[in-house]
Amino acid sequence: MDAQSYNATLAELRAVRDEIKKARKELTRLEADRDQKIGRLAAYAKAKAERIAPAAGLSVADIVDLVPALAPDSLAENATPAAPPTQTTIAAPGHAVPEPTGQPTAAAPSTCTAEPLQTTASSTPAAAPAATDAPRALPSVPEGDTGDAWFTHSQGLVSTRPNFTQQARSTVFLDTATGILVHRQQTHHLDLGNATAADILTAVFHAIPEGVERIYVTAGDPWHRDADRYPYLRDAVAAWLNAPIPGWRTDTGRGRDQMAGHFVHARNPVGRFQRDSGEQHVEIRSVGEWFDTDGDDPAVIRDAFVLLWQALRRHWGDAVIMGSPSQTGRDLWTRTIPTRGQYAEGFPVLSEELRGLLHATAGQGRNELLTPPRVSAQLPQLVEYDRTFAYAKHTWKSPVGTPRRITAATFASWSEKEQMRALYGCGHWQIRVTVPDTWNHVGLLPAPAPGDRAWHYPATPGTTFTTWAGGPEIHTALTNPLTPWKIEILDGILWEDGKPLDDWAKKLKETWTNLSAQAHFQGDAQQARAAHLASRAVRAILLYGIGSFAQRPRMVTGTTPRTLERDIPPDAEIIGFDDEQITWQKPTGFSRDPNAHPEWAAAIWSGARAALLTQRHRDDNVHAGALHTEPGSVVAFRTDALYLTQPQAWPHHHQPGDYLLKGHLTGPVAAPTTEGELLGLRDAGRAALTPSAGEA
């Protein structure tokens, strides 16, 4: 083949590709229409998956995946996993180890980012997935030298203190519903037309000829304007971001800033654009990344960011507010890396294998809804308690150093004192768990549920399951105030105890305390509101900063003119096109990120989940948490909040981790059966409660 034939065949291949894309687009539309019709059929009281499946051309399992409520009873059966490896059974000091009485239930794998709310419908054993879906187990560390090789660090990948000053970006605040734009001390009224990205950029750069680099949308959610035209909200957002803009194209990054391409998110997307000439770069972002607004004027939100920057500067002389809380949090943390001592050269990053294992086995916040008959169908009342600045309570100790593998045999060879010391330390353990025969309260340990990102918390007496968990949760299961659970150690990862996040978290906690005090004592209502929003932004910096250490893989999207097709990144997937542009997406992996530390995020999340169950207030000598309530009184867990049927006399001293009364809805209240119903009751309860002096 000569060069001419080669180029001609490439052109033919592109034409075939375009036809395939068109066919797939039409197929996607038809599948979305089919799924919507299935959803409507499911609303019929006598709907059966067995009748819907052949009409839809799907299997019964496919129908159940779309509408779990249609699961036929005949397909639910327990599964028994393969025989476990060597294990060691441990119990709380002074307690005998109970014998298991229930059959082990299969555990499905899960890679968790932000878990959906799980529903526990009854106290009977949960049904396994449909028989057509083979159960899978969470990943394990391979045996022998292969697994041992995981316990190291990635060569040449270290978190180090930056040797440059972060540059601030010119920022404006825009309400796209009213057209009000605030830039420094000036207010402009813009005509945004249809509020497309093109309309916004044209209007903003006309009002501010010198240009801006970041546009925070404070209200209006312009990316949702055409949501009715798309089956999913994310599709509407992607279409808004990728619509052609004369004179602009998707940003490809610059200098030290490696952020390029759009970030498609249903609620808080990020559009990154640059002039065709390459001279100007600008982001369009949602201020919802930082805090929830309640119709606040853009000037108040501008003041909040000014107060935030001033407060951070008291602790970091070179602090700069970056585009998102996670970017800001991670940047501020790198500026607390010690300049002397053991880690003056930085904190090494774990091997890619161990990071992958932690991604798959270390979940985030606990999100669980308990429905009748686990709770009464009519609740006497619904009370919401939210842990104030919760994650800040769990940053004082984190894993450092080269991890050690602790096999079941090694753990068994230790004394009871050595075993408990290891479990109190910074570790991540593969365990087999058995719920006590007499248990009558909520579940204590996360287990993988059907679904790629789902976790549940088995509580049925006698249930046995295999999972991974952190030391705080295992300690809680062994020493809880009711009955110790049986824990069998199958494998483990153990680090030295260190304080890599302590200085960073202390500075953020002091900043939060200062801004919260300003919000409370400020006489000017606008400045008080701005200080309150700034304190919420500090919370977001810590919360999402911790999440950024997990470094879960993400996808970014971008557009390229058809005439510049060769500029499409080589690892990108083409997801759409028209006569002018090609839309693509590409993964942003974590394998070479110098600040990837999922072990830190996993340890904090484990501590926070454990504190939802029990925590001690030393000064008051009082315990708080779900296990200190009556059985059957816990309605839901939601990240760092508890929903109960009874009020509690738990102390609140405005300190991180304290339980703050956020909502109280008097009954009788119909027990929520969906996340939407719970959130509706939450909002009603907050509105009904007299405003409290505390702040979460």
Side-chain angles (χ1 to χ4, degrees):
M1 177 180 286
D2 57 19
Q4 184 176 0
S5 299
Y6 177 82
N7 290 329
T9 305
L10 276 178
E12 294 170 359
L13 183 60
R14 293 190 186 101
V16 172
R17 177 204 65 194
D18 289 357
E19 290 299 320
I20 291 173
K21 288 293 181 181
K22 290 178 182 177
R24 285 178 177 168
K25 184 176 181 179
E26 177 61 12
L27 177 61
T28 299
R29 185 190 67 79
L30 291 171
E31 288 176 339
D33 184 50
R34 176 201 65 196
D35 294 348
Q36 289 177 348
K37 285 180 170 60
I38 291 172
R40 289 201 295 271
L41 288 170
Y44 179 56
K46 296 182 179 180
K48 294 183 178 295
E50 298 93 325
R51 289 199 63 188
I52 297 175
L58 298 173
S59 68
V60 172
D62 292 331
I63 300 298
V64 172
D65 282 343
L66 287 169
V67 188
L70 293 177
D73 295 336
S74 61
L75 288 181
E77 59 183 52
N78 291 331
T80 303
T86 304
Q87 69 263 356
T88 301
T89 302
I90 58 175
H95 291 278
V97 178
E99 291 297 323
T101 57
Q103 284 295 320
T105 55
S110 172
T111 302
C112 182
T113 51
E115 296 82 13
L117 200 69
Q118 297 302 307
T119 300
T120 305
S122 71
S123 57
T124 57
T132 53
D133 295 328
R136 297 178 296 172
L138 289 174
S140 302
V141 180
E143 296 294 330
D145 293 342
T146 301
D148 293 343
W150 290 16
F151 289 75
T152 183
H153 292 113
S154 295
Q155 187 173 3
L157 207 56
V158 181
S159 302
T160 57
R161 193 182 185 103
N163 58 3
F164 63 93
T165 300
Q166 196 67 252
Q167 296 299 308
R169 293 194 177 183
S170 175
T171 301
V172 298
F173 301 88
L174 175 64
D175 183 332
T176 61
T178 64
I180 295 176
L181 174 78
V182 173
H183 177 227
R184 297 174 182 161
Q185 302 300 319
Q186 298 178 333
T187 299
H188 304 266
H189 295 269
L190 309 184
D191 180 0
L192 296 178
N194 293 321
T196 64
D199 293 334
I200 290 173
L201 291 177
T202 299
V204 169
F205 278 81
H206 181 265
I208 308 172
E210 65 271 26
V212 298
E213 295 177 280
R214 183 175 296 134
I215 301 170
Y216 276 124
V217 173
T218 65
D221 295 338
W223 34 80
H224 293 163
R225 291 294 176 92
D226 294 327
D228 293 342
R229 296 173 50 192
Y230 298 89
Y232 302 104
L233 201 57
R234 191 176 182 276
D235 294 338
V237 172
W240 188 89
L241 290 171
N242 293 311
I245 305 176
W248 294 84
R249 56 191 171 93
T250 304
D251 201 344
T252 55
R254 53 180 168 144
R256 296 181 183 274
D257 187 358
Q258 298 301 311
M259 302 300 289
H262 306 313
F263 174 56
V264 180
H265 186 278
R267 301 293 176 184
N268 299 312
V270 181
R272 301 185 178 99
F273 306 94
Q274 67 180 104
R275 292 279 193 189
D276 285 341
S277 62
E279 296 177 356
Q280 288 180 310
H281 302 252
V282 63
E283 292 181 331
I284 300 179
R285 312 185 71 111
S286 169
V287 81
E289 294 180 86
W290 292 87
F291 40 68
D292 292 330
T293 61
D294 187 18
D296 293 296
D297 186 273
V300 173
I301 295 175
R302 184 271 319 275
D303 290 347
F305 276 88
V306 171
L307 288 174
L308 173 64
W309 175 76
Q310 291 172 341
L312 291 173
R313 281 274 171 148
R314 295 188 181 99
H315 298 285
W316 287 275
D318 55 354
V320 168
I321 297 178
M322 302 182 70
S324 70
S326 61
Q327 292 172 328
T328 306
R330 187 168 51 180
D331 180 69
L332 293 177
W333 172 75
T334 62
R335 296 172 194 279
T336 64
I337 294 175
T339 56
R340 61 181 64 183
Q342 183 179 3
Y343 293 102
E345 299 300 321
F347 293 93
V349 173
L350 292 177
S351 69
E352 188 172 348
E353 292 82 3
L354 275 190
R355 280 180 281 147
L357 181 72
L358 286 165
H359 283 298
T361 60
Q364 235 171 303
R366 178 169 181 169
N367 289 284
E368 182 183 26
L369 175 63
L370 287 80
T371 59
R374 289 289 298 276
V375 297
S376 299
Q378 290 291 318
L379 308 178
Q381 51 194 318
L382 185 65
V383 189
E384 178 191 6
Y385 286 95
D386 191 60
R387 295 187 66 227
T388 298
F389 205 13
Y391 286 2
K393 179 77 172 179
H394 306 286
T395 55
W396 64 278
K397 182 177 73 171
S398 301
V400 294
T402 303
R404 290 187 293 154
R405 181 178 190 178
I406 308 300
T407 64
T410 299
F411 192 88
S413 69
W414 289 349
S415 66
E416 180 180 297
K417 183 177 181 180
E418 290 173 320
Q419 291 177 355
M420 297 310 294
R421 185 186 300 119
L423 294 178
Y424 292 155
C426 294
H428 191 58
W429 303 90
Q430 186 182 33
I431 54 177
R432 170 160 290 131
V433 184
T434 301
V435 182
D437 292 340
T438 58
W439 192 255
N440 66 346
H441 219 298
V442 298
L444 303 187
L445 290 161
D452 289 341
R453 299 180 177 181
W455 297 85
H456 66 162
Y457 294 79
T460 304
T463 299
T464 297
F465 58 95
T466 299
T467 190
W468 285 81
E473 293 166 285
I474 296 176
H475 175 247
T476 297
L478 291 170
T479 62
N480 74 81
L482 303 177
T483 304
W485 284 31
K486 178 187 174 184
I487 307 291
E488 303 168 67
I489 299 295
L490 307 179
D491 209 343
I493 309 168
L494 188 62
W495 291 266
E496 300 172 15
D497 295 352
K499 295 182 176 292
L501 305 176
D502 195 44
D503 185 35
W504 173 72
K506 283 180 177 177
K507 290 178 177 179
L508 289 177
K509 284 185 279 190
E510 290 177 15
T511 303
W512 172 79
T513 300
N514 176 271
L515 289 168
S516 298
Q518 287 187 54
H520 184 71
F521 295 108
Q522 173 62 250
D524 181 270
Q526 179 169 316
Q527 287 300 301
R529 177 63 179 171
H532 166 74
L533 293 177
S535 72
R536 300 295 292 174
V538 176
R539 176 185 179 275
I541 287 173
L542 185 133
L543 177 69
Y544 295 115
I546 290 168
S548 73
F549 290 125
Q551 289 295 286
R552 301 192 185 281
R554 291 183 174 183
M555 301 292 290
V556 296
T557 64
T559 58
T560 299
R562 292 292 291 260
T563 56
L564 299 175
E565 186 170 335
R566 293 183 178 180
D567 292 344
I568 295 175
D571 56 343
E573 174 192 2
I574 295 175
I575 59 175
F577 54 86
D578 56 28
D579 293 339
E580 301 294 331
Q581 295 190 106
I582 298 173
T583 303
W584 48 265
Q585 69 178 12
K586 59 175 289 188
T588 57
F590 55 81
S591 59
R592 295 304 300 174
D593 192 315
N595 294 317
H597 291 285
E599 70 276 18
W600 296 349
I604 292 169
W605 293 335
S606 177
R609 290 193 299 268
L612 277 178
L613 298 170
T614 179
Q615 70 173 21
R616 183 188 174 198
H617 294 261
R618 296 181 182 275
D619 294 341
D620 303 279
N621 194 28
V622 171
H623 286 82
L627 293 181
H628 303 281
T629 66
E630 290 296 320
S633 65
V634 177
V635 177
F637 298 86
R638 189 169 175 81
T639 307
D640 50 12
L642 275 177
Y643 296 83
L644 310 172
T645 62
Q646 302 171 357
Q648 306 294 321
W650 294 335
H652 186 272
H653 302 300
H654 310 285
Q655 295 299 313
D658 288 356
Y659 279 93
L660 172 68
L661 178 62
K662 289 288 289 289
H664 191 171
L665 196 61
T666 56
V669 179
T673 58
T674 66
E675 181 180 12
E677 291 177 2
L678 175 67
L679 296 180
L681 294 175
R682 178 200 67 181
D683 294 342
R686 290 181 178 180
L689 182 69
T690 301
S692 170
E695 178 55 47

